[in-house]
Amino acid sequence: MSLLVVGISHRSAPLEMLERVSLDETRSRTLASGVVGLEDVRESLVLATCNRTEVYADALTFHGAVAQVGAALAAETGMDLEALTPHLYVHYEDRAVHHLFSLACGLESMALGESEILGQLRAALRAGQRDAHLGAALNPLFQQALRVGKRAHTETGLDRVARSLVGAGIERADDILGALVGARALVVGAGAMSGLAAASLRRAGVGRLTVVNRTRERAERLATSHGGLARDWDDLAAEVQQADLVLSCTGATDQVITRELLTGADRSERPLVLIDLAMPRDVAPEVAGLPGVTVWGLTELTELAAAGSKPTPGTPTPGTPTPGTPRPWTAASDATTAGDGAPDAAETATVLQGVRDLVSGEVATYLATRRSAQVGPTLAEMRSRAVSVADAELARLDHKLPGLDEEQRAEVHHSVRRILDKLLHTPAVRAREMAADDTDGSYLALLRELFDLDPRETAAVEQPPTVGGLP
């Protein structure tokens, strides 16, 4: 396997460009199908989220695969390749594994440490399995990435310091709306992010939760699971006008919440907060200019998440309830019950370093295991070569000693086989141990050279650049 990642994200491109290259589920699957059919690619998986589009490939060559995948990505998104190229990043082999494991832990997300990415990775893996785009290279790799992400959330304090975009938006909404207990909330869309939004709103204590989706069945399924109500897409305008807080994350390519949708709604006395989690954006820019309406898109939510948790209890903030009223939900309230204070900078830095160390250890273990597994075919071929030599010699012996009876002949054959097994056992064990540390494939190549095995199996892999970016 030669793992290759070609991608674009919020770290490499402005949000305006990310909107242009955003892919829905259908187009993601189309891109994956096109990539797996490329000359230099054997397997492919496309990960498309609100802030990244990445193509993972099991590549036969580096430069050939990068060029082909880059062209396929440009073609599917309708972008000019020359305009897209400066914003693309490329990771290869160990750096690609490290990137994926870090991604699974939320270390590459807009909101550091968020857990939504695990659901998105799982969905991308299932799509790849369903479409038969994955094999022995990418399938186990992504399953391991999911396990690494789970470890990060269960074995470190990541959930305590993590700030999801949904949580950041909801936590700040009560600064404008007052305590969210009893508020009227609307979720637009019924995907994975909408599910997280509904769960978070219910934990925040909203009084009325409504879900609107183009497909009524999916809206009902999401609403039912969180004690809410489902409405038809034609009811969107009425539901938005009645809501206090709206979280929208659809797969629409056009804007679904427009100025016209709010025409006639007086928000001067009853503010409205719109949290737009979609890419491309669901909320039209001019909506933010309406009186009493606050709109937070991904850019604003990232800033809110980076700002950290709200002050600890006892510090006055707008919308803080008086003593005896239900305490506002916060993003950290689900993560820990040990104390009310938010983690400070030192604790956050320590936790994040622990997650990074976990990732580094998992990457090293994964690569060592993979290298050990790769020596298997060489050992099998080495044994096959030795058995062939032994068989030739036994055949020669049978010809020279025709007088041996069948029992004697069988005993001779059995003894030769036992000698062969004992001679090969220790070298095979040592070969697997040494292959685990064979980062450049030199040991495997030497092994094949010593036993005169087919050199094509260990032909030097085309070396990639030392930095990310298209060549």
Side-chain angles (χ1 to χ4, degrees), residues 428-452:
V429 172
R430 294 291 295 136
R432 292 187 183 279
E433 293 173 350
M434 297 179 71
D437 299 321
D438 185 26
T439 57
D440 60 359
S442 58
Y443 174 75
L444 191 59
L446 177 60
L447 189 63
R448 302 189 70 85
E449 179 73 20
L450 287 173
F451 287 90
D452 193 26

Side-chain angles (χ1 to χ4, degrees), residues 128-399:
Q129 292 170 333
R130 183 171 58 250
D131 296 335
H133 295 155
L134 308 181
L138 296 184
N139 195 42
L141 174 66
F142 272 80
Q143 291 184 21
Q144 182 62 25
L146 290 172
R147 286 190 284 268
V148 173
K150 289 179 182 178
R151 278 197 65 197
H153 286 281
T154 58
E155 298 179 19
T156 73
L158 184 60
D159 283 343
R160 175 167 164 76
V161 303
R163 302 278 302 170
S164 75
L165 297 182
V166 173
I170 293 176
E171 188 173 338
R172 284 301 193 271
D174 67 4
D175 288 348
I176 296 174
L177 302 175
L180 295 181
V181 176
R184 290 163 292 189
L186 170 65
V187 174
V188 183
M193 187 71 81
S194 297
L196 174 69
S200 299
L201 287 168
R202 183 53 74 197
R203 288 196 297 268
V206 297
R208 183 174 185 266
L209 176 63
T210 306
V211 179
V212 173
N213 188 58
R214 293 185 190 274
T215 305
R216 176 63 182 254
E217 181 182 356
R218 296 188 65 188
E220 290 179 344
R221 187 161 55 244
L222 178 57
T224 300
S225 63
H226 296 288
L229 302 172
R231 291 289 183 262
D232 293 324
W233 188 255
D234 292 340
D235 298 325
L236 178 61
E239 292 298 334
V240 170
Q241 292 189 22
Q242 294 175 23
D244 302 308
L245 175 60
V246 177
L247 285 87
S248 186
C249 186
T250 73
T253 56
D254 54 346
Q255 291 157 347
V256 299
I257 300 179
T258 62
R259 187 185 185 96
E260 290 73 24
L261 208 66
L262 289 164
T263 300
D266 182 8
R267 290 291 177 169
S268 57
E269 298 296 329
R270 189 166 62 87
L272 170 65
V273 175
L274 293 162
I275 299 177
D276 189 353
L277 301 163
M279 180 68 73
R281 285 170 280 200
D282 280 343
V283 182
E286 59 269 21
V287 171
L290 294 174
V293 177
T294 300
V295 179
W296 291 326
L298 290 175
T299 300
E300 295 80 12
L301 290 172
T302 302
E303 294 172 354
L304 291 177
S309 297
K310 292 162 56 177
T312 56
T315 303
T317 59
T320 300
T322 56
T325 60
R327 181 180 168 188
W329 172 88
T330 65
S333 63
D334 290 324
T336 179
T337 57
D340 293 326
D344 57 22
E347 179 184 351
T348 298
T350 299
V351 169
L352 292 179
Q353 185 57 52
V355 176
R356 295 187 185 101
D357 291 342
L358 183 151
V359 168
S360 296
E362 286 283 357
V363 170
T365 299
Y366 182 85
L367 293 174
T369 301
R370 194 187 75 177
R371 287 191 293 266
S372 295
Q374 287 176 332
V375 79
T378 296
L379 294 177
E381 189 177 350
M382 185 174 71
R383 177 176 178 78
S384 177
R385 176 68 61 85
V387 169
S388 296
V389 172
D391 286 345
E393 289 300 315
L394 287 171
R396 189 176 66 85
L397 182 64
D398 290 342
H399 181 72

Side-chain angles (χ1 to χ4, degrees), residues 403-415:
L404 289 178
D405 60 38
E406 289 304 316
E407 184 177 349
Q408 292 172 325
R409 196 177 306 279
E411 183 61 31
V412 170
H413 281 234
H414 182 62
S415 296

Side-chain angles (χ1 to χ4, degrees), residues 62 66 85-86 88-91 95 465 467-471:
F62 174 77
V66 168
T85 295
L88 294 177
Y89 49 82
V90 175
H91 300 299
R95 289 190 294 124
V467 296
L470 290 174

